[in-house]
Amino acid sequence: GILYEANGTSSDLNDAFIAYSRAYQIYEQDNGNFFDGAVPRLLKENLLTLAYFMGGDSYGQYGSALKGIPLVTLKEKKKKAEVYLIQYIGFSPVKVSTVVPVPFDARHITQVAFPKYVSRSTEIESSDFSAEKSDQLAYVQPTFIGQNIDGLAQRVLESHKAELLAKAVIRPAAKYVAERAISKEVQDKWGNGAAFGFNILSSLYNLTTERADIRSWQSLPAQIRIARLLLDPGDYEFYVQTYASGRHRLNKVSLGRATVEAGEKKFFLFRNYR
């Protein structure tokens, strides 16, 4: 929605309104199950702006739904510069295989393997996006979580837990049935010793080869945070400031100096690895 709105044509503004509406509905219907928290305030503000622009039923619907959110019209926005920060924090969780040895009988041992995510910790609990002018006047906005990829990955995997466990049990069970049949044939043809040796080898094979699917996208961030500053035209130095728990300041990083103009939309992308 933000990218559509940045293009500024009537068609793009219509597409932006649709994108904002769908995002709003997803947050509302999710009710915190997968997306942490309520509808972001920035989404509400942008949706209300375009609902007013669309007019009619659109504004009637969202004007009441977003009661308490101040209306900033497109005309008013065009007098300001909108500067967005998209901040990537840390790395997404790593998927690992959890295995449980399972003896089917005295001669056949296998294991059940299923995946789980292990979070990669980060010190950062929150952050601010700020713009400072030469006279030290600062505009500051806290970032909000646009997407908690760590939490989302954990919840999605948990929602498929029953299916994954079923598959994890079916695979070794099917192997067990096949191995018993082959073991019987070996015993009938070469005797108990050969059958015992086959059972040992098949059990070792099961224990070393049964693994869960641990493929995952490991370069994604743990969180994507977003903030926006509405600024008067001018020259500013932009900063990202990060905090640990208890608002203990970790660092303040300059994103550089830039001149912004009325009606301009500017984007900063920044990644924290700690």
Side-chain angles (χ1 to χ4, degrees):
I2 293 169
L3 294 176
Y4 277 129
E5 190 181 342
N7 287 331
T9 68
S10 295
S11 175
D12 287 317
L13 291 174
N14 181 71
D15 289 337
F17 172 73
I18 293 171
Y20 288 144
S21 300
R22 288 176 176 171
Y24 178 85
Q25 291 162 10
I26 289 170
Y27 275 107
E28 283 279 278
Q29 294 166 6
D30 176 71
N31 199 28
N33 291 324
F34 288 98
F35 303 98
D36 291 335
V39 183
R41 182 181 176 89
L42 176 58
L43 173 57
K44 292 180 179 181
E45 292 173 356
N46 285 349
L47 176 57
L48 189 61
T49 296
L50 289 188
Y52 179 81
F53 170 76
M54 301 295 291
D57 294 338
S58 298
Y59 184 66
Q61 175 187 357
Y62 288 107
S64 57
L66 303 179
K67 187 177 180 180
I69 300 297
L71 172 63
V72 180
T73 66
L74 282 177
K75 185 177 181 180
E76 292 170 326
K77 269 190 177 184
K78 288 179 179 178
K79 297 177 182 177
K80 303 277 189 177
E82 287 186 84
V83 186
Y84 285 90
L85 169 69
I86 301 174
Q87 182 184 19
Y88 302 142
I89 295 177
F91 287 98
S92 57
V94 177
K95 195 184 286 185
V96 299
S97 180
T98 301
V99 295
V100 179
V102 178
F104 277 109
D105 57 35
R107 297 182 177 183
H108 295 85
I109 300 175
T110 186
Q111 64 185 13
V112 174
F114 49 93
K116 74 172 184 177
Y117 275 115
V118 176
S119 296
R120 290 185 274 183
S121 61
T122 175
E123 296 178 82
I124 299 171
E125 290 285 336
S126 61
S127 60
D128 289 336
F129 179 41
S130 62
E132 298 181 8
K133 300 192 78 169
S134 56
D135 58 5
Q136 301 302 309
L137 178 63
Y139 301 83
V140 182
Q141 280 291 334
T143 63
F144 67 88
I145 297 176
Q147 181 69 276
N148 183 356
I149 294 175
D150 187 306
L152 180 61
Q154 305 270 9
R155 294 184 186 102
V156 168
L157 188 64
E158 183 67 23
S159 71
H160 292 286
K161 189 173 182 179
E163 176 187 346
L164 293 170
L165 286 175
K167 290 180 178 179
V169 171
I170 289 171
R171 284 194 306 269
K175 288 182 182 179
Y176 169 67
V177 172
E179 288 165 4
R180 280 203 61 178
I182 296 172
S183 178
K184 183 66 169 59
E185 292 180 10
V186 171
Q187 184 179 25
D188 292 342
K189 193 169 184 179
W190 288 293
N192 289 334
F196 179 77
F198 170 79
N199 292 334
I200 292 294
L201 291 174
S202 62
S203 293
L204 288 174
Y205 174 79
N206 292 336
L207 291 172
T208 56
T209 61
E210 188 62 32
R211 292 287 185 270
D213 183 354
I214 58 172
R215 292 174 295 176
S216 62
W217 193 347
Q218 296 186 22
S219 61
L220 286 174
Q223 285 185 0
I224 300 175
R225 302 186 73 92
I226 302 173
R228 179 193 65 181
L229 296 171
L230 278 174
L231 302 173
D232 292 323
D235 185 51
Y236 298 88
E237 183 89 18
F238 293 93
Y239 295 92
V240 176
Q241 189 158 292
T242 56
Y243 303 89
S245 60
R247 291 289 286 182
H248 172 70
R249 194 170 91 170
L250 295 172
N251 62 6
K252 183 177 181 180
V253 179
S254 172
L255 301 177
R257 182 170 293 277
T259 300
V260 294
E261 300 177 355
E264 179 183 6
K265 284 185 172 62
K266 189 173 184 63
F267 296 87
F268 286 100
L269 301 177
F270 183 72
R271 181 154 195 167
N272 294 95
Y273 294 97
R274 64 187 296 174

